[in-house]
């Protein structure tokens, strides 16, 4: 199993980042995929999900209209375009299946300064 996230960093409020995730073909091909985030003191939160075909996506209200999830099935990759970032988006972001398997990658840290 492989889940490798990248693309995080430090950005000012209002800025954008694009996260990438490389996943093992064995878990990627037939599963919905999602991005989650973890902030100290809070439970892991789902921020975007996409079906295996890529036709359907789902977002919580907290990121709807600002985040866009996409996937490239030929490359076994899933992406998260994050626009209009807010300080409350600061977290470590992870990709996984939806619902998640019990293996998590190292995540990628996103810090949004005010």
């Amino acid at each position: 199993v492989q889940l490798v996230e990248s693309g995080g960093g430090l950005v000012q409020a209002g800025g954008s980042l694009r996260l990438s995730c490389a996943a093992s073909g064995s878990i990627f091909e037939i599963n919905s995929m999602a991005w989650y985030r973890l902030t100290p003191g809070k439970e892991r939160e789902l921020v975007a999900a996409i079906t295996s075909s890529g036709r359907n996506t789902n977002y919580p209200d907290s990121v709807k209209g600002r985040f866009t999830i996409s996937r490239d099935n030929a490359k076994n990759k899933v992406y998260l375009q994050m626009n209009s970032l807010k300080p409350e988006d600061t977290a470590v972001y992870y990709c996984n299946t939806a619902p998640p398997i019990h293996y998590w990658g190292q995540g990628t840290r996103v810090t949004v300064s005010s």
Side-chain angles (χ1 to χ4, degrees):
V1 175
Q2 182 184 47
L3 292 165
V4 181
E5 302 90 350
S6 62
L10 174 63
V11 64
Q12 288 188 333
S16 298
L17 283 174
R18 187 185 191 223
L19 307 184
S20 297
C21 170
S24 302
S26 60
I27 63 172
F28 184 89
E29 292 169 351
I30 61 172
N31 284 294
S32 294
M33 296 295 295
W35 285 93
Y36 305 81
R37 65 187 180 189
L38 185 61
T39 304
K42 295 185 179 180
E43 292 188 358
R44 202 185 308 263
E45 174 190 15
L46 184 147
V47 296
I50 187 167
T51 54
S52 56
S53 67
R55 294 194 192 98
N56 298 103
T57 57
N58 187 46
Y59 307 91
D61 289 342
S62 58
V63 307
K64 195 173 292 183
R66 300 188 298 120
F67 289 12
T68 302
I69 188 172
S70 60
R71 64 191 292 163
D72 185 335
N73 286 350
K75 296 181 179 179
N76 289 354
K77 287 192 172 181
V78 62
Y79 305 99
L80 185 67
Q81 178 67 43
M82 305 187 296
N83 299 328
S84 302
L85 282 161
K86 303 176 181 180
E88 51 263 44
D89 295 319
T90 294
V92 180
Y93 286 72
Y94 302 84
C95 70
N96 208 313
T97 57
I101 60 173
H102 291 297
Y103 172 84
W104 294 88
Q106 83 287 349
T108 187
R109 183 175 299 276
V110 172
T111 304
V112 184
S113 63
S114 57

